Amino acid sequence: MGNLFKNGDISRWIRLVSGVGVASYGLSVGDYFLLMLGVFFAGLAVLNMGCCCGGCSTATETKALYKDFVKPYQAKDNMKR
């Protein structure tokens, strides 16, 4: 239970605030679709999940994308004299 609120970044706080706001507005006007949408966003924030069901976090390792693909250019003198 203590791990639910660790690693809170800005996107997680935005989902939590928007979820609570939409849920409270949906509850106040009696719109159950907005209430369910707000509960969904708040649940995503509490469980630290993204909308793509695996978490949309970035990798912690840095990896060179074109490490062996791009080779340095070496000019050749192909002109005949």
Side-chain angles (χ1 to χ4, degrees):
M1 186 76 176
N3 292 335
L4 289 179
F5 292 108
K6 294 198 185 229
N7 299 330
D9 55 349
I10 189 71
S11 63
R12 189 172 181 184
W13 286 108
I14 290 172
R15 282 194 306 259
L16 183 65
V17 168
S18 66
V20 168
V22 169
S24 64
Y25 179 72
L27 189 62
S28 69
V29 296
D31 189 2
Y32 294 113
F33 177 74
L34 286 177
L35 179 65
M36 289 188 306
L37 188 66
V39 168
F40 175 71
F41 279 121
L44 286 178
V46 167
L47 297 175
N48 199 16
M49 294 180 64
C51 295
C52 52
C53 297
C56 296
S57 63
T58 59
T60 57
E61 301 176 7
T62 57
K63 182 178 175 184
L65 186 61
Y66 298 109
K67 183 178 181 181
D68 296 329
F69 187 70
V70 177
K71 297 183 179 174
Y73 176 73
Q74 295 177 354
K76 295 180 182 178
D77 191 16
N78 290 335
M79 298 179 68
K80 293 182 180 180
R81 294 179 190 207

